[in-house]
Amino acid sequence: MTVRVRFAPSPTGMFHVGGARSALQNWIYAKQQGGVFVLRIEDTDAARNSPEWTEGILSALDWIGISRDSYEGPYFQSSYADEHRAAARRLYESGRAYYCDCTREAVQARTGNQYTGYDGYCRDRGLPPGEGRALRFRTPDEGSTVVVDLIRGEPTFENKLIEDFVIARGDGSPVFLLANVVDDLTMGITHVIRAEEHLPNTPKQQLLWDALGVKPPVWAHVPVVVNEKRQKLSKRRDKVALEAYRDEGYLADAMRNYLMLLGWAPSGDREIVPWSVIENEFRLDEVNPSPAFFDEKKLRAFNGEYIRALPVEEFVAACQPWLAGTGTIAPPPWQPEEFDPAAFAAVAPLAQTRIAVLSEIVPNVDFLFVATPLIDEAAWTKAMKEGSAELLDATVAAFESVASWDAETLKATLEAVGAERGLKLGKAQAPVRVAVTGRTVGLPLFESLEVLGPERTLTRLRAARLRLF
C-alpha cells in the first residue's frame, strides 16, 4: 500500500499557523513512508471562497518548503460534486440514509429543549426526496464506534449518543461530513492527519466509510494550538496568519522548526535543529496529545537565532524586501535612489546581531539613507538634558579636527569630550546618538558614524544644537 495523506484547507482567509503545522506533519510523514502528499482545496463555501486565498495557500506552502512540485494537486472539492451526490444516493438506496422535513423549531417543540439534538422523528416515515428535505444518515442504535488513533489511542463513542446527522441539505448539496469522506475515498487517502478539533466528527465519518463499504483511513489527531491563556488560537483574537509572520520578517526555516515543536520534540535536550533531523526523527506516535502553546516570544527568540546563524551575504539578501518594499511589505522611509548598498553592507554584520525579525532592519539603518534623521521625540526628551548643547558644541569642534574618521578615533575623541565634563562615555554619547540617528538605541554608535561619514555627521550635530535653542 502506498501511503497517501492530504492537507485540505479552505480558501476563506489567511493561512493559519495551525494549518501550517498540520501541513508540515502530513508532508514529513508522506516523505518518511515513501508516500504521496495530496493538496485538496475545500472550496464549496462559494460565499466565502476567493481565488486570491487559494493562491495564498499555495504561496504559504511554498514559503515553508512544501513546493508546488512536491505534492499531488491542488484538487478542488467543488470538482467532485457528482461523486458527492452519487454517494448520497447510494446511502439512501441502501437504507443507510433517509429524508427528513423537520425544522429546528419542530424538533424543539417535540423535545421541549432547544439543546436536545434531532429525535429521529422521520426515521420510519419513508419520505421520498423532495424540496426542502434533508438527507440524514441512520446511525446504529446499539454498540459503539472505536476510532483507532495513532496519537490518542482508541477513543470510543457510543452509537446511541450520535444523532442521525445530515449528510445532504434540502437542495441536495452534500455537507462537509459527507464531502470530506467521499473526497478522501476518491483520492485514495490512507492516513488522515489533522487537528484535534475534528475528532468529534470522526466517529460520524468512520460510520460513513463503513456504510460506503470501504475501510476507513488511519486517523491521527494532532493537538490543538492554544494561546498563553490556553484558549484555542482564534483568527479574531490572536495573531495566527502565517503571512503576517512572513511579512514581519520571520525566516521560513525558523518558522517551520518552531511549528514542528508544537506537540513534538526532537531527541536530546535541544529544540533548534537542522530540518534534516526533524525529517528523520519525527514520529506521529510520539506527538503529545495535550494542547500545544504557540509562544510568540519563543518563536521570536528562535528567529533571532536563525538570523544570527546566516552567512552575512545571505542576511543581506534576506533583508532586501524590507529595504525596498513589496506588494505586502511597506516601503522604507527613504527614496530608492537614497539607498546605498555599500553602506548597508558595511553595517549589516552589526545589525544582524541585534534584530530578531527582519523588519527591524529598517529602524536600525534608516539614519544612513534619509536626508535628516527621523527623530523619536521621547528619545530626544530623554537624551537632551541640561548641558547637552555645550556637549554637542564641543563634540562638533573635536570631530572637526580628528586625524582619522574611524570608529576607534571617534570613540576616543567623544570619551575625552565627556571626561572634560565629568561624564562617562555612556552619558556623553546619548545626545550624539539621538542627534545623528534620531533614537536612543540602535547599532554601535561609532561604527555607525564611520559609515555615515564626517559631513553628514557634523551636519546633524549642528542641526541638533540649533534645535536646542
Side-chain angles (χ1 to χ4, degrees):
M1 178 187 70
T2 299
V3 167
R4 290 175 63 83
V5 302
R6 50 78 163 173
F7 177 59
S10 298
T12 56
M14 304 296 278
F15 196 76
H16 197 291
V17 291
R21 189 270 308 261
S22 295
L24 286 169
Q25 291 171 331
N26 275 279
W27 189 59
I28 290 177
Y29 187 76
K31 290 187 69 174
Q32 289 176 338
Q33 303 299 318
V36 178
F37 177 97
V38 176
L39 175 62
R40 181 171 75 234
I41 306 297
E42 300 199 331
D43 63 339
T44 51
D45 187 349
R48 298 174 60 205
N49 293 339
S50 178
E52 59 262 30
W53 294 131
T54 297
E55 177 55 34
I57 291 169
L58 303 180
S59 176
L61 291 175
D62 280 339
W63 185 64
I64 57 174
I66 304 178
S67 60
R68 302 184 196 207
D69 60 355
S70 68
Y71 52 78
E72 189 176 296
Y75 299 117
F76 292 86
Q77 188 171 70
S78 58
S79 301
Y80 293 84
D82 290 344
E83 285 83 353
H84 303 157
R85 292 177 182 273
R89 283 195 302 273
R90 284 175 56 196
L91 292 171
Y92 170 67
E93 291 167 357
S94 66
R96 300 303 300 270
Y98 61 90
Y99 283 97
C100 171
D101 61 2
C102 294
T103 64
R104 181 173 299 178
E105 291 75 17
V107 174
Q108 184 176 333
R110 286 196 301 269
T111 62
N113 189 334
Q114 63 176 320
Y115 302 109
T116 300
Y118 177 65
D119 58 357
Y121 178 77
C122 290
R123 263 193 164 202
D124 300 314
R125 292 178 66 197
L127 293 177
E131 185 177 351
R133 292 176 178 175
L135 185 64
R136 288 185 179 272
F137 182 78
R138 188 187 301 270
T139 59
D141 295 320
E142 300 176 347
S144 58
T145 297
V146 179
V147 174
V148 179
D149 191 295
L150 292 179
I151 296 171
R152 300 176 185 279
E154 298 186 358
T156 300
F157 302 83
E158 290 187 61
N159 290 332
K160 66 181 180 181
L161 299 179
I162 305 174
E163 68 177 26
D164 289 355
F165 53 92
V166 174
I167 58 175
R169 303 175 184 88
D171 63 1
S173 62
V175 301
F176 165 79
L177 285 171
L178 179 62
N180 192 263
V181 166
V182 173
D183 289 344
D184 285 343
L185 191 158
T186 303
M187 297 174 189
I189 301 303
T190 63
H191 294 68
V192 173
I193 305 166
R194 60 185 182 181
E196 175 187 358
E197 64 197 66
H198 294 289
L199 183 59
N201 289 330
T202 306
K204 297 177 182 180
Q205 292 182 312
Q206 186 159 305
L207 287 171
L208 287 172
W209 278 84
D210 290 337
L212 290 169
V214 184
K215 181 180 178 182
V218 176
W219 306 103
H221 288 88
V222 299
V224 65
V225 182
V226 298
N227 62 19
E228 69 279 359
K229 295 180 180 179
R230 298 307 187 265
Q231 301 167 318
K232 179 187 170 185
L233 284 187
S234 165
K235 289 183 178 181
R236 296 181 180 179
R237 181 187 57 238
D238 303 303
K239 181 179 173 183
V240 301
L242 188 71
E243 298 93 328
Y245 288 100
R246 179 185 62 194
D247 292 347
E248 191 176 339
Y250 284 84
L251 297 176
D253 286 348
M255 176 59 78
R256 64 182 188 167
N257 184 164
Y258 181 72
L259 289 175
M260 287 302 296
L261 299 182
L262 297 177
W264 175 83
S267 62
D269 187 18
R270 55 184 180 164
E271 293 183 313
I272 297 178
V273 295
W275 185 246
S276 59
V277 170
I278 294 175
E279 286 188 319
N280 289 332
E281 294 191 1
F282 176 71
R283 297 292 182 272
L284 267 179
D285 57 6
E286 294 177 0
V287 172
N288 188 327
S290 300
F293 172 34
F294 188 90
D295 187 344
E296 190 175 346
K297 292 180 180 178
K298 185 173 182 178
L299 171 60
R300 180 181 169 85
F302 259 57
N303 202 64
E305 292 288 337
Y306 270 88
I307 284 176
R308 289 186 284 279
L310 290 174
V312 175
E313 314 81 59
E314 290 186 22
F315 173 71
V316 170
C319 288
Q320 294 309 308
W322 290 268
L323 300 175
T326 68
T328 57
I329 297 173
W334 58 79
Q335 296 301 312
E337 63 273 11
E338 295 175 316
F339 181 72
D340 182 351
F344 178 71
V347 300
L350 306 174
Q352 186 174 2
T353 63
R354 286 166 170 78
I355 66 174
V357 292
L358 294 175
S359 59
E360 293 175 347
I361 193 63
V362 173
N364 272 276
V365 303
D366 59 7
F367 72 95
L368 288 170
F369 311 120
V370 292
T372 57
L374 307 172
I375 300 295
D376 180 330
E377 294 300 331
W380 178 275
T381 302
K382 180 179 179 180
M384 298 303 180
K385 304 294 187 182
E386 184 178 352
S388 293
E390 292 75 16
L391 176 67
L392 291 176
D393 283 337
T395 301
V396 169
F399 280 0
E400 284 178 328
S401 60
V402 293
S404 174
W405 192 267
D406 61 80
E408 287 301 319
T409 300
L410 296 172
K411 178 181 178 182
T413 300
L414 184 56
E415 199 166 21
V417 169
E420 292 174 357
R421 287 156 180 76
L423 300 174
K424 291 185 177 180
L425 182 59
K427 294 288 186 181
Q429 71 179 9
V432 174
R433 176 184 290 279
V434 173
V436 173
T437 70
R439 299 179 178 87
T440 53
V441 295
L443 305 184
L445 176 61
F446 302 105
E447 287 81 354
S448 298
L449 299 183
E450 179 178 336
V451 175
L452 188 64
E455 181 179 347
R456 288 196 291 170
T457 298
L458 293 172
T459 297
R460 294 181 183 189
L461 291 173
R462 294 187 185 106
R465 176 66 182 86
L466 289 173
R467 187 177 178 183
L468 285 172
F469 273 113

